[in-house]
Amino acid sequence: MDVIVLLIGLSLTWVLGAMLVALLVAPGPALAAGRGAWIAGTGGYVGAFLVTLWMRALSALHVPFGIASIALPLLVVLGALTFVVWRRSSTRLGAAWSSAWAALLGAGLPRWQRFAWLALLAWLALRFGLLFAEVWLRPVYPWDAWIQWATKSRVWYEMRSLVPFARPEAWFAANGAYFYDASPDYPATVPLLQTWASILLGRWDDALMNVVWWGLGVSFVLAAYGALRGFGLAPLPALTGAWLVGSLPLGGVHIALAGYADLPMASYYALAAVATLRWLEHRSAGNAVVALLLLVACPTIKTPGIVWVLTIAPAIAVALLPRYGMRTLVTLLVATAIALAVLAQTNPIVLGYRLHLDFDPAWAALFESFFMLGNWNLLWYAVIVVAVVGRRQWLSPALLPMTAIVGAGLAFLFFVFGFTNARAWVADQTTINRATLHLAPLIGLWAVLVFTAWATRSPAAAPTPPATAAEPA
Amino acid sequence: MLAFAVALLVCVLGYLAMAVPASWFPSASRVGFAASDLAMSRGTAAVEGTEFVVTATDDAGMALVVVNANLRSIDYPVIEWLARDVPADAEVRVIWRTDYAPAKTSSAPAEVAYGRVLPVDLSRHPDWMGRVTGLGLAIRAPLAQPIRIRGAEAKPMGAAGVLAERFREWTAFEGWSGSSINTLSGGSDVQELPLPALLFAAVALASLALAGVARWRPRWYEASPAWTFAGLFVLAWFVLDARWVANLARQVPLTAGQYAGKDWRERHLAAEDGPLFAFVERARGVLPAPPARIFVLADAHYLRGRAAYHLYPYNVYYEPYRNATPPADRLVPGDWIFVYQRRGVQYDRAQQMLRWDGGVTVPAELKLVDKGGALFRVK
């Protein structure tokens, strides 16, 4: 029974987010150009973040965490959202379901494409089925998960409140009012998601509470498919792209060995970037709100989320100032170079990282990690190929904003691991891959889009089947 | 698909041309030496099951494992010692004697990667001649933990042998470990020819070849080079993904065997730190209701962190990154001290006094004691 409540509760969170996104994004047929998949996938992330915001509010109001205090108000909101969406929708529910089912079965695709479509879906189902078994069975396993994340969720679940964690001096001074773990300053969103799952279960179970990671993984593949369809890809290429970014081996490990914040960081960041790009394209207030929600979530997941959010700024600058796009980028690059030169002469410490310039990247370890080991499949080979062959496409007005984000993200990673004492984590193959994971899904989407743009513009290109109402969404 | 297969074959043949040390088709077959065949010439070791466990070096910091052999050197160009947990900074040499120069002990350096000794190609070594009568492994290093040796293998390393080795590396099971969350090797820890590199080389070669055909002989191949590359790339990605999924499919039954059908407590008792969890559960029976303050002491930071984790929602304090005791002057009566496998902590039962590093004493009452663990209440 408790497991059923867990699954229903998490589904409620998911549907709540999906209804909000459905309300916010531009009205239209639910299945047009991946709209339904984008709503469902992004909805999972928005819903999860909303529930943590509500838990923060409850804690500030000194209302103890409980199913009633958390879920009932959300249910009311969900009811209201559902009503509004239903009133606005031009599609009847029954028709929408049958369209969705037909789309899932690949109706309307040519025969070989339909075969590939179903095979890919089956393959994804196998992957996520195996991952579900791992998440379901294994108690919190990896190191940081039990020294700095699940520590908080355990305390917050048992205390039914967001009791503070503090550094040693403050902890001693508080005489029991504060708690302590290895990283007391870390943000609350991830442990709150575990706390929410534990409250739904009605008991502490550090295996089952991590089913949230699995849900985020599934949501991300849906959202990635919806995003690629929204960017103009046909159903099969879009599903292939979603599978590529959803099958990064290290991402799979972070679902199976759930408990780290890196996968949520990566997926929230990628979706925030895509949502921002959608807003830049459509300029609708609803898309802006979705983007804003996802952007705000980033720093509440991991502290570097602040920097990841900043990497989206160049895209906004490029898109809002189209006449000066390239000039803006070049200016930013020069400004960055000057900032680096200034840092070479100083010794500041930001977010715990010593930012003194001391350029000495661990190239060999970096090469091994990206190209030889099993962390990324062929992602970085693809990025290089795409960057070379699609150089005109990634500088085109359509893709320049996304390129700006990816470039800024790569520059951030290169800066941290090339110039700071964090390079030691490259050499021992620890943090380098987890930090890279933050950018990897987005750069995967970028590579798919640039390659598609290049392939469809080359003279001998096979035409991409246009999206029609008869095709899968 | 055919182009990809041909390109893959070309890449593999190119690799074999570089990797096969002697004959492509040798007549000899592999010779193995089990742990029970090994002996210790310098240092201390014992056979534990199928492993020869080296626990200490001699006074000069050297461990020397030897085994009698009877091999024609020309048939066996490669020697591999199946050792693990070898320190990364260890100086390791493969040594041997031959009937050609019976009084001479020859040696060649061996590399260590991920705690393992890499195979050594001796085919071009001037002393690798005649009949080999004895093999050895010399390790010079401070041993923080025992080195485990499953044995040694003398390998003919023909083309089939090399390919079989690579295939074994690519398909080796990579179970979850503490480092899995940070990095994946994609098969065995050490890989002579990483599969991603091979597959991408084949994709690139096939794509370039087909692009060339499409450019200069368009009637032979009419498809778009771009989409050809995309198709081959997806195929190569699928191979890597299938390897990952197959590995996961091998992991799931192991996880299920360890945890399935158990409730939360039973799962933790079945976990790697089950004895610690069991002791924490006993301590809970003695402790007052949360949130009392508990200070955790253990030598290993893994055990300190795990003990603290299991003790929440008690108000736990511990040093995550260094093995240190809490400041005694900050302890107050009613605090609790949880000690697990921590050297240097003594308890005077008569005086009801706890003593630890630096001769610091804390008045405390022993509330629970068990194998390696104790729980005290500060008075």
Side-chain angles (χ1 to χ4, degrees):
Chain A
M1 183 61 190
D2 48 0
V3 171
I4 293 170
V5 174
L6 170 70
L7 297 178
I8 290 174
L10 293 178
S11 303
L12 161 75
T13 317
W14 192 333
V15 175
L16 172 76
M19 283 298 163
L20 182 61
V21 177
L23 187 69
L24 289 170
V25 298
L31 300 176
R35 186 172 173 270
W38 171 254
I39 288 170
T42 312
Y45 284 83
V46 169
F49 183 52
L50 285 180
V51 79
T52 66
L53 288 181
W54 178 237
M55 290 170 78
R56 285 177 173 93
L58 286 175
S59 195
L61 295 168
H62 303 291
V63 178
F65 294 158
I67 290 186
S69 62
I70 298 173
L72 283 183
L74 295 180
L75 262 178
V76 172
V77 174
L78 174 61
L81 285 172
T82 308
F83 179 73
V84 176
V85 170
W86 173 69
R87 285 293 299 272
R88 275 184 33 174
S89 174
S90 57
T91 314
R92 292 178 57 192
L93 191 63
W97 274 114
S98 47
S99 297
W101 182 246
L104 190 66
L105 294 178
L109 289 176
R111 191 169 174 173
W112 75 267
Q113 285 197 28
R114 190 175 188 196
F115 174 78
W117 170 275
L118 291 173
L120 211 44
L121 283 182
W123 185 246
L124 281 166
L126 172 67
R127 176 187 201 83
F128 279 101
L130 291 167
L131 285 171
F132 189 80
E134 271 294 320
V135 173
W136 194 257
L137 290 169
R138 182 179 290 279
V140 161
Y141 178 76
W143 194 283
D144 285 2
W146 46 262
I147 67 165
Q148 64 193 26
W149 297 112
T151 47
K152 296 178 179 70
S153 46
R154 178 76 193 264
V155 171
W156 295 343
Y157 165 68
E158 302 283 359
M159 298 294 161
R160 304 287 160 154
S161 176
L162 204 66
V163 294
F165 279 66
R167 289 182 174 273
E169 266 313 305
W171 183 86
F172 276 112
N175 199 24
Y178 292 167
F179 280 76
Y180 175 74
D181 67 8
S183 300
D185 304 327
Y186 274 23
T189 294
V190 164
L192 278 174
L193 287 173
Q194 293 173 317
T195 307
W196 169 228
S198 302
I199 286 167
L200 287 167
L201 269 173
R203 60 188 162 86
W204 174 255
D205 186 322
D206 58 354
L208 298 186
M209 70 177 185
N210 289 330
V211 80
V212 173
W213 270 255
W214 183 86
L216 291 179
V218 174
S219 294
F220 185 76
V221 173
L222 268 172
Y225 172 77
L228 291 172
R229 290 285 283 127
F231 284 122
L233 266 67
L236 186 58
L239 183 63
T240 307
W243 162 64
L244 291 176
V245 296
S247 63
L248 295 172
L250 199 68
V253 171
H254 276 247
I255 295 174
L257 303 180
Y260 272 42
D262 297 294
L263 186 72
M265 181 75 258
S267 40
Y268 269 96
Y269 171 62
L271 296 184
V274 171
T276 304
L277 295 169
R278 289 170 73 101
W279 166 65
L280 289 170
E281 188 183 346
H282 301 294
R283 303 288 168 92
S284 73
N287 278 318
V289 173
V290 174
L292 202 60
L293 271 170
L294 294 166
L295 286 169
V296 169
C298 289
T300 72
I301 293 167
K302 283 200 85 170
T303 311
I306 298 166
V307 182
W308 289 119
V309 168
L310 291 177
T311 62
I312 293 175
I316 298 173
V318 165
L320 295 184
L321 302 168
R323 290 179 60 193
Y324 306 102
M326 277 305 291
R327 207 175 298 172
T328 308
L329 268 188
V330 171
T331 306
L332 283 170
L333 276 174
V334 172
T336 306
I338 291 171
L340 291 176
V342 169
L343 286 171
Q345 306 302 318
T346 55
N347 195 16
I349 294 175
V350 176
L351 302 178
Y353 298 113
R354 186 173 61 86
L355 299 185
H356 176 67
L357 264 186
D358 185 14
F359 185 63
D360 184 21
W363 289 115
L366 204 62
F367 179 79
E368 185 182 24
S369 175
F370 282 16
F371 296 99
M372 297 291 140
L373 296 178
N375 299 305
W376 306 109
N377 283 352
L378 300 175
L379 175 69
W380 298 103
Y381 294 96
V383 168
I384 289 176
V385 169
V386 160
V388 172
V389 301
R391 57 193 176 282
R392 287 185 184 160
Q393 281 68 39
W394 56 260
L395 285 172
S396 68
L399 286 168
L400 189 58
M402 194 175 194
T403 301
I405 299 175
V406 167
L410 284 173
F412 170 53
L413 284 181
F414 182 70
F415 171 73
V416 170
F417 290 109
F419 287 99
T420 74
N421 55 350
R423 76 171 60 85
W425 301 328
V426 179
D428 62 10
Q429 299 286 350
T430 53
T431 307
I432 172 64
N433 290 315
R434 287 196 285 116
T436 303
L437 180 62
H438 298 174
L439 183 62
L442 181 65
I443 211 167
L445 291 174
W446 174 84
V448 169
L449 289 172
V450 173
F451 181 84
T452 307
W454 171 70
T456 50
R457 283 182 181 208
S458 66
T464 305
T468 67
E471 290 172 338
Chain B
M1 187 76 95
L2 179 64
F4 180 69
V6 171
L8 194 58
L9 184 64
V10 169
C11 290
V12 167
L13 290 174
Y15 166 72
L16 288 175
M18 293 185 291
V20 176
S23 167
W24 278 45
F25 306 103
S27 55
S29 54
R30 172 192 307 220
V31 174
F33 304 93
S36 54
D37 300 329
L38 308 182
M40 206 65 189
S41 174
R42 294 170 67 176
T44 310
V47 176
E48 289 182 11
T50 59
E51 292 184 323
F52 190 74
V53 182
V54 180
T55 51
T57 58
D58 66 4
D59 292 341
M62 170 77 82
L64 180 53
V65 183
V66 293
V67 62
N68 289 323
N70 183 13
L71 309 166
R72 267 172 29 108
S73 58
I74 196 167
D75 290 338
Y76 297 96
V78 173
I79 300 297
E80 180 175 11
W81 281 88
L82 308 171
R84 62 187 174 99
D85 298 335
V86 180
D89 56 351
E91 182 188 334
V92 181
R93 298 188 78 83
V94 170
I95 65 171
W96 67 93
R97 280 186 171 169
T98 65
D99 61 356
Y100 179 75
K104 182 179 180 183
T105 300
S106 305
S107 73
E111 288 184 45
V112 176
Y114 299 98
R116 298 171 191 275
V117 178
L118 300 186
V120 179
D121 178 3
L122 298 168
S123 58
R124 292 183 180 81
H125 198 288
D127 293 341
W128 189 252
M129 57 171 54
R131 185 167 289 278
V132 178
T133 56
L135 289 168
L137 182 70
I139 302 170
R140 186 185 295 279
L143 297 188
Q145 62 176 331
I147 293 172
R148 299 177 173 275
I149 303 174
R150 275 197 296 119
E153 289 182 349
K155 299 178 175 180
M157 293 302 273
V162 170
L163 282 181
E165 285 284 306
R166 298 296 84 82
F167 189 76
R168 185 187 58 77
E169 289 168 2
W170 296 332
T171 56
F173 174 59
E174 187 179 8
W176 300 137
S177 71
S179 64
S180 299
I181 201 78
N182 292 320
T183 191
L184 292 171
S185 56
S188 69
D189 290 343
V190 181
Q191 295 188 34
E192 187 77 20
L193 178 65
L195 188 56
L198 173 68
L199 289 174
F200 185 76
V203 169
L205 187 62
S207 299
L208 287 173
L210 290 175
V213 173
R215 172 81 173 78
W216 287 292
R217 291 285 186 275
R219 286 184 185 173
W220 294 4
Y221 189 74
E222 295 178 351
S224 148
W227 290 112
T228 299
F229 172 81
L232 296 177
F233 181 85
V234 167
L235 180 66
W237 187 292
F238 179 77
V239 172
L240 292 169
D241 194 36
R243 201 214 69 77
W244 191 86
V245 171
N247 193 74
L248 183 62
R250 291 162 80 178
Q251 175 67 58
V252 168
L254 297 178
T255 305
Q258 192 173 4
Y259 297 120
K262 297 182 170 73
D263 66 18
W264 169 74
R265 281 196 164 72
E266 291 167 340
R267 287 183 189 183
H268 275 287
L269 288 170
E272 294 76 8
D273 63 337
L276 170 64
F277 181 80
F279 183 66
V280 169
E281 287 293 275
R282 287 194 61 198
R284 281 183 185 280
V286 177
L287 287 162
R293 295 205 317 184
I294 304 179
F295 294 82
V296 175
L297 280 75
D299 277 328
H301 62 336
Y302 171 78
L303 293 175
R304 283 198 302 281
R306 290 298 285 180
Y309 175 64
H310 293 318
L311 281 165
Y312 288 106
Y314 285 100
N315 202 336
V316 184
Y317 184 89
Y318 73 108
E319 290 283 352
Y321 306 112
R322 59 195 183 103
N323 183 11
T325 50
D329 59 333
R330 309 295 290 268
L331 301 176
V332 297
D335 283 345
W336 293 76
I337 298 170
F338 181 99
V339 184
Y340 194 81
Q341 295 184 11
R342 175 63 159 79
R343 283 167 295 190
V345 177
Q346 300 165 331
Y347 183 65
D348 184 334
R349 196 182 288 265
Q351 299 284 325
Q352 294 206 319
M353 197 65 79
L354 198 57
R355 177 196 295 271
W356 59 55
D357 309 358
V360 174
T361 56
V362 175
E365 194 180 348
L366 177 65
K367 289 293 192 179
L368 176 68
V369 65
D370 201 352
K371 284 172 287 189
L375 182 69
F376 303 92
R377 185 175 184 276
V378 177
K379 292 204 304 180

